[in-house]
Amino acid sequence: QSRYTTMNPVAIFEFKAPHVPISQHTFDQAVVYNSSLQLKYFFVSNGIDHFFAEVDPIEKNYRITNSLPDYLMFSEMIGKSR
């Protein structure tokens, strides 16, 4: 059995080219991708501007911040959300 068959995704990463500005449309794209996966987090970046969003499935919205969690913080966040 492959180790990849037991992995569970925890976030969506939406990357754009550096010349492509991050817009509401970019976030909307990530939300559409997430509609089937139902993940709690997504990251959006064009290599210059970086954003992190946490999805609130009850309110059906998301909270965006331009402060990215470091590895330890994100590991703790995903551990609590499982």
Side-chain angles (χ1 to χ4, degrees):
Q1 178 177 358
S2 168
R3 68 183 177 137
Y4 298 109
T5 60
T6 60
M7 294 182 132
N8 295 316
V10 295
I12 289 178
F13 293 80
E14 175 67 22
F15 295 114
K16 299 294 184 189
H19 67 276
V20 177
I22 301 298
S23 66
Q24 182 62 50
H25 178 72
T26 311
F27 288 101
D28 293 344
Q29 267 187 305
V31 169
V32 168
Y33 300 150
N34 193 38
S35 65
S36 63
L37 295 173
Q38 299 294 303
L39 302 175
K40 188 168 181 174
Y41 307 103
F42 60 90
F43 295 82
V44 175
S45 177
N46 63 3
I48 298 165
D49 298 312
H50 318 285
F51 299 92
F52 172 72
E54 184 171 357
V55 177
D56 182 340
I58 295 169
E59 295 293 325
K60 298 186 187 311
N61 63 17
Y62 50 91
R63 184 177 52 87
I64 301 169
T65 178
N66 61 355
S67 173
L68 301 181
D70 63 25
Y71 177 78
L72 181 60
M73 180 186 294
F74 189 64
S75 294
E76 290 173 358
M77 292 168 74
I78 62 174
K80 291 177 183 174
S81 69
R82 289 187 175 204

